[in-house]
Amino acid sequence: MRVFLPCCFAFVALSFVAPTPRLLAQSAAAAQQTPPASLPTASGMVQPSLDQIQQALSNLNLSKWKTRDDVRESTFQNISSIQRDIQGTLPGLLNQADAAPNAVEPTFALYRNLDALYDVLLRISSTASMVASSNDSASLSNSLQSLESVRKSLGERILNISQLQEQTIVKLQAAAKAAPAASPAAATQGAVVDDGPQAPPKKKKRVAAKPKPQPSTPPPAPAPSTNN
């Protein structure tokens, strides 16, 4: 059973989450953490199946397939396409997925390549089941089953990573909403402005008290004259 559509939905759902820059930085850092030792790398999951496919293709004897030349030529082209993909494209995709084991995008790119590889191998195996020897047919069928199992495991891993990242973002957003936010008025009242050392207060000069004016002494009255 394919898990392509659920993976796409989970991947798109993450793209609509709009965390703050701080939350985004925290979630990005969490996505790059090293996975637990029990969790295999992408190479550890995929490479054994790729080795099995290469061995099965190299052991095919197309000249003994009981079919037309055009079918044989088409099968040869499909085999060459798979070999170019395994030797040229997949190593880079595996390295990117290994470098970011908890990131969705590189693992999803690897899954999409394996999905296309599965379709080509399925055509070869279907043809072999009708015109090839029992050994060739069985070898291709086993390789196809191995790739299908790996592809399913990789799809489940993408879903788990997507759900884990989404849960992390939701928790961070909830924590940000729960944190009390300081109001602008409170921030203004509590602000302290440091203008440097304060100047000493200026001393006021004492003003001398003016003497109160003394009341003027009236001149002495003239003595009365005595007429003899």
Coordinates of all heavy atoms in Angstrom, one line a residue, residues 179-214:
A179 N 3.0 32.5 28.2 CA 3.9 33.4 28.8 C 3.3 34.8 28.9 O 2.8 35.3 27.9 CB 5.3 33.5 28.0
P180 N 3.3 35.4 30.1 CA 2.8 36.8 30.2 C 3.6 37.8 29.4 O 4.8 37.8 29.5 CB 2.8 37.1 31.7 CG 4.0 36.2 32.2 CD 3.9 35.0 31.4
A181 N 2.8 38.6 28.7 CA 3.5 39.6 27.9 C 3.4 41.0 28.6 O 2.3 41.4 29.1 CB 2.8 39.7 26.5
A182 N 4.5 41.7 28.7 CA 4.5 43.0 29.3 C 3.8 44.0 28.5 O 4.1 44.1 27.3 CB 6.0 43.4 29.6
S183 N 2.9 44.8 29.1 CA 2.2 45.9 28.3 C 3.1 47.0 28.1 O 4.1 47.3 28.8 CB 1.0 46.3 29.1 OG 1.4 46.9 30.4
P184 N 2.9 47.8 27.0 CA 3.8 49.0 26.7 C 3.7 50.0 27.8 O 4.8 50.6 28.1 CB 3.1 49.5 25.4 CG 2.4 48.4 24.8 CD 1.9 47.6 26.0
A185 N 2.6 50.2 28.5 CA 2.5 51.2 29.6 C 3.4 50.8 30.7 O 4.1 51.6 31.3 CB 1.1 51.4 30.1
A186 N 3.3 49.5 31.1 CA 4.1 49.0 32.2 C 5.6 49.1 31.8 O 6.4 49.4 32.7 CB 3.7 47.6 32.6
A187 N 5.9 48.8 30.6 CA 7.3 48.9 30.2 C 7.8 50.3 30.3 O 9.0 50.6 30.6 CB 7.5 48.3 28.8
T188 N 6.9 51.3 29.9 CA 7.4 52.7 30.0 C 7.5 53.2 31.4 O 8.5 53.9 31.7 CB 6.3 53.6 29.3 OG1 6.1 53.1 27.9 CG2 6.7 55.0 29.2
Q189 N 6.6 52.7 32.3 CA 6.7 53.2 33.7 C 7.9 52.6 34.4 O 8.6 53.2 35.2 CB 5.4 52.8 34.4 CG 4.2 53.5 34.0 CD 3.0 53.0 34.7 OE1 3.0 52.1 35.5 NE2 1.8 53.6 34.4
G190 N 8.3 51.4 34.0 CA 9.4 50.7 34.7 C 10.7 51.0 34.1 O 11.7 50.5 34.5
A191 N 10.7 51.8 33.0 CA 12.0 52.1 32.3 C 12.9 53.0 33.2 O 12.4 54.0 33.8 CB 11.8 52.7 31.0
V192 N 14.2 52.8 33.2 CA 15.1 53.6 34.0 C 16.1 54.2 32.9 O 16.7 53.4 32.2 CB 15.8 52.8 35.0 CG1 16.9 53.6 35.7 CG2 14.9 52.2 36.0
V193 N 16.2 55.5 32.9 CA 17.1 56.2 32.0 C 18.3 56.6 32.8 O 18.2 57.3 33.8 CB 16.4 57.4 31.3 CG1 17.3 58.1 30.4 CG2 15.1 56.9 30.6
D194 N 19.4 56.2 32.3 CA 20.7 56.6 33.0 C 21.4 57.7 32.2 O 21.8 57.5 31.1 CB 21.6 55.3 33.0 CG 22.9 55.6 33.9 OD1 23.0 56.7 34.4 OD2 23.7 54.7 33.9
D195 N 21.4 58.9 32.7 CA 22.0 60.0 32.0 C 23.4 60.3 32.6 O 23.9 61.4 32.4 CB 21.1 61.3 32.2 CG 19.8 61.1 31.4 OD1 19.8 60.3 30.4 OD2 18.8 61.7 31.8
G196 N 23.9 59.4 33.3 CA 25.3 59.6 33.8 C 25.2 60.2 35.3 O 24.1 60.3 35.9
P197 N 26.3 60.6 35.8 CA 26.3 61.1 37.2 C 25.5 62.3 37.3 O 25.6 63.2 36.5 CB 27.8 61.3 37.5 CG 28.5 61.4 36.1 CD 27.7 60.5 35.2
Q198 N 24.8 62.5 38.4 CA 24.0 63.6 38.6 C 24.9 64.8 39.2 O 25.8 64.6 39.9 CB 22.9 63.3 39.6 CG 21.9 62.3 39.1 CD 20.8 62.0 40.1 OE1 20.8 62.6 41.2 NE2 19.8 61.2 39.8
A199 N 24.6 66.0 38.7 CA 25.3 67.2 39.2 C 24.9 67.5 40.6 O 23.7 67.3 40.9 CB 25.0 68.3 38.2
P200 N 25.8 68.0 41.4 CA 25.5 68.3 42.8 C 24.5 69.5 42.8 O 24.5 70.3 41.9 CB 26.8 68.7 43.4 CG 27.7 69.1 42.3 CD 27.2 68.2 41.1
P201 N 23.5 69.5 43.7 CA 22.6 70.6 43.8 C 23.2 71.9 44.1 O 24.2 72.0 44.8 CB 21.6 70.1 44.9 CG 22.4 69.2 45.8 CD 23.4 68.5 44.8
K202 N 22.8 72.9 43.4 CA 23.3 74.3 43.6 C 22.9 74.8 44.9 O 21.7 74.7 45.3 CB 22.8 75.2 42.5 CG 23.4 74.8 41.1 CD 22.9 75.8 40.1 CE 23.4 75.4 38.7 NZ 23.0 76.4 37.6
K203 N 23.8 75.4 45.7 CA 23.5 76.1 46.9 C 22.9 77.4 46.7 O 23.4 78.2 45.9 CB 24.8 76.2 47.8 CG 25.4 74.8 48.2 CD 26.6 75.0 49.1 CE 27.2 73.7 49.5 NZ 28.4 73.9 50.4
K204 N 21.9 77.7 47.4 CA 21.2 79.0 47.3 C 22.0 80.0 48.2 O 22.4 79.7 49.3 CB 19.8 78.9 47.8 CG 18.9 78.0 46.9 CD 17.5 78.0 47.3 CE 16.6 77.2 46.4 NZ 15.2 77.2 46.9
K205 N 22.2 81.2 47.6 CA 22.8 82.2 48.4 C 21.8 82.9 49.4 O 20.7 83.1 49.1 CB 23.3 83.3 47.4 CG 24.4 82.8 46.5 CD 24.9 84.0 45.6 CE 26.0 83.5 44.7 NZ 26.5 84.7 43.9
R206 N 22.4 83.1 50.6 CA 21.6 83.7 51.6 C 21.5 85.2 51.4 O 22.5 85.8 51.1 CB 22.1 83.4 53.0 CG 22.0 82.0 53.4 CD 22.4 81.8 54.9 NE 22.2 80.5 55.3 CZ 22.4 80.1 56.6 NH1 22.9 81.0 57.5 NH2 22.3 78.8 56.9
V207 N 20.3 85.7 51.4 CA 20.1 87.2 51.3 C 20.1 87.8 52.6 O 19.3 87.4 53.5 CB 18.9 87.4 50.5 CG1 18.6 88.9 50.3 CG2 18.9 86.7 49.1
A208 N 21.0 88.8 52.9 CA 21.0 89.5 54.2 C 19.7 90.2 54.4 O 19.1 90.9 53.5 CB 22.1 90.5 54.3
A209 N 19.2 90.1 55.6 CA 17.9 90.7 55.9 C 18.1 92.2 56.1 O 19.1 92.7 56.7 CB 17.3 90.1 57.3
K210 N 17.2 93.0 55.5 CA 17.3 94.4 55.5 C 16.8 94.9 56.9 O 15.8 94.4 57.4 CB 16.5 95.0 54.5 CG 17.0 94.8 53.1 CD 16.1 95.5 52.0 CE 16.6 95.2 50.6 NZ 15.8 95.9 49.6
P211 N 17.6 95.8 57.6 CA 17.1 96.3 58.9 C 15.8 97.0 58.7 O 15.5 97.7 57.8 CB 18.2 97.3 59.3 CG 18.9 97.7 58.1 CD 18.8 96.5 57.1
K212 N 14.9 96.8 59.7 CA 13.6 97.5 59.7 C 13.8 99.0 60.0 O 14.6 99.4 60.8 CB 12.7 96.9 60.8 CG 12.4 95.4 60.5 CD 11.4 94.9 61.6 CE 11.0 93.5 61.3 NZ 10.1 93.0 62.4
P213 N 13.1 99.8 59.2 CA 13.3 101.3 59.4 C 12.8 101.7 60.8 O 11.7 101.2 61.2 CB 12.4 101.9 58.3 CG 11.5 100.8 58.0 CD 12.2 99.5 58.2
Q214 N 13.6 102.4 61.6 CA 13.2 102.9 62.9 C 12.3 104.1 62.8 O 12.5 104.9 61.9 CB 14.5 103.3 63.7 CG 15.4 102.1 64.0 CD 14.8 101.1 64.9 OE1 14.0 101.4 65.7 NE2 15.2 99.8 64.7

